[in-house]
Amino acid sequence: MDFFGLKSALDAQPLFAGKTWRLSPDAFRFSAEQRAQLDALGEALPAFFAALEKLYFASAENRKILRNRNLRAPWVAPLLDRGKPPRLVAHQRSRALAGTLPPVMRPDLLICADGFAMTEADSVPGGIGLTAFLARLYGCGDAMSRLFLSALLSASGVPADAASARSRRVVIAVSDEAADYRPEFEWLAAILRSRGADVSVSHPNALEISAEGVFLDGKKVDVLHRFFELFDLGNVRGADALFEAAERGNVVVSPPMRPFQEEKLSLALLHHPALFPFWEEALGESHFSLLRKIVPETWVVEPTPEGGLPASASLLAPTLGGRPIRDWRELADAPRRERNLVLKASGFDETAWGARSVTIGADASRDEWAAALERALASAREKKSLFVLQRFRKPARLEHALFDARGVPESAFGRARVCPYYFLVRDGGGRSRARLGGALCTFCPPDKKIIHGMSSAALFPCAL
């Protein structure tokens, strides 16, 4: 890519107003091994979300979680329901929503020396329009926008074809909390309208919501793409009516309002030894093996019960000096070499996205680390969002071409996160399959520990 042509194309788009990053002449290219793993992950992720639903309902109803063994896990549902309003819990348990999965799944993958490390599986991802625009600009294909619409139509149970796109009204609702993403959805909607689809963007409070459905400017909405977090439902006028409309089948809300699908602690459940038999049975050996390999070890931070643990018990937690711990506060005194840990809010909290709650133990002072642990324990005690602790896997040092300040390409070193976007699309036989539509690479200077969009980072698409 030519620097000045690239910069001109970006400057001409209002979706990038106020955002700056370094530019690259080239898209990121996956190795054959990485691409094979991405394809395998596209099969494993929907299987994981389906298995998580099965686990959640079996736990909530205290049913056995294995076919031929009396293994139960009544403690799982209370963890996933922690801090949620009762009406939201009742909604996510509604049988009308049974089997509904997120139509777009975006794992955050760090590129490490030994392969990918998946730190999160986002089911309400932003960046769809940004990635679609950059993919077109760099000549990496135009699948993103087409698959996004196909996934929304599939979620509503209709074929993902031109006739359905014209007959089904899709509205993307973007809240104030997520306002930075509104321009990219406006661009995406305009692209889809140019192809004959009925797609528009609205603020949630501009919608007329009743038990009979959702309306915009007096016209019924068939699919409401929810781009607002569920903790923000209190700011959505008519949220209770939206629950009822979705339960009656008068509107399809996509992704479904099921907070158990949006908790980072689900990755901790994947590593819980008491649940290994369940995951092996529900996922199959290959999917379970892949997910355990790429998801760093993760634990749920829960306070020690009042009175302490029984004499023979220890926490399911990182060890300290090779020995198990009995209280999370013991980790406050861990030497820096044993603090290669990431502490972050699990979900249903305004700090749970955008790295707002993240503390990396090895980068924090002893006092900062102790304070972060106390905040996590206090949140759990107050029945708010739980926190998770995840093993920190250092991204590999990579080399990629970037433009310097004069627009001259130069070789640069950095660490990378790639975010592939999988779209759940029904095939002709009614079977849903995750399709990889595009991927965004965030390339940060090598001294950065938290890899995210910043002015010193470079953003560019991945060639598929």
Side-chain angles (χ1 to χ4, degrees), residues 166 169 171 198 208 214-222:
R166 288 191 297 271
R169 189 177 195 201
V171 170
D198 188 355
E208 306 155 49
V214 176
F215 299 82
L216 180 62
D217 299 327
K219 185 178 177 182
K220 192 174 189 302
V221 175
D222 297 297

Side-chain angles (χ1 to χ4, degrees), residues 9-31:
L10 292 172
D11 289 344
Q13 285 298 329
L15 62 159
F16 304 121
K19 299 178 183 178
T20 60
W21 60 80
R22 292 195 66 184
L23 302 179
S24 170
D26 302 317
F28 183 84
R29 299 190 179 278
F30 294 109
S31 68

Side-chain angles (χ1 to χ4, degrees), residues 22 413-415 443-449 451 454-458:
R22 292 195 66 184
F413 291 95
R415 307 189 194 278
F443 190 79
C444 286
D447 61 329
K448 302 296 183 183
K449 290 292 181 68
I451 300 180
M454 59 183 81
S455 59
S456 60

Side-chain angles (χ1 to χ4, degrees), residues 365-377:
S365 69
R366 191 180 295 269
D367 288 345
E368 290 168 339
W369 179 237
L373 286 169
E374 286 295 342
R375 282 195 299 273
L377 293 170

Side-chain angles (χ1 to χ4, degrees), residues 1-2 35 45 88 91 157 159 177 224 231 241 286 292 296 318 343-344 379 383 400 408 427 445:
M1 291 290 297
D2 170 74
R35 182 55 203 258
L45 274 177
L88 182 56
H91 177 73
E177 180 79 16
L224 180 68
F231 70 79
S286 63
R292 283 199 66 209
L343 184 66
K344 52 189 173 183
S379 184
K383 306 299 183 184
H400 192 83
V408 178
D427 59 23

Side-chain angles (χ1 to χ4, degrees), residues 289-319:
S289 175
L290 171 65
L291 290 171
R292 283 199 66 209
K293 177 183 178 182
I294 68 172
V295 176
E297 212 173 357
T298 309
W299 303 269
V300 182
V301 179
E302 293 183 277
T304 302
E306 192 172 338
L309 296 175
S312 59
S314 61
L315 291 177
L316 187 62
T319 57

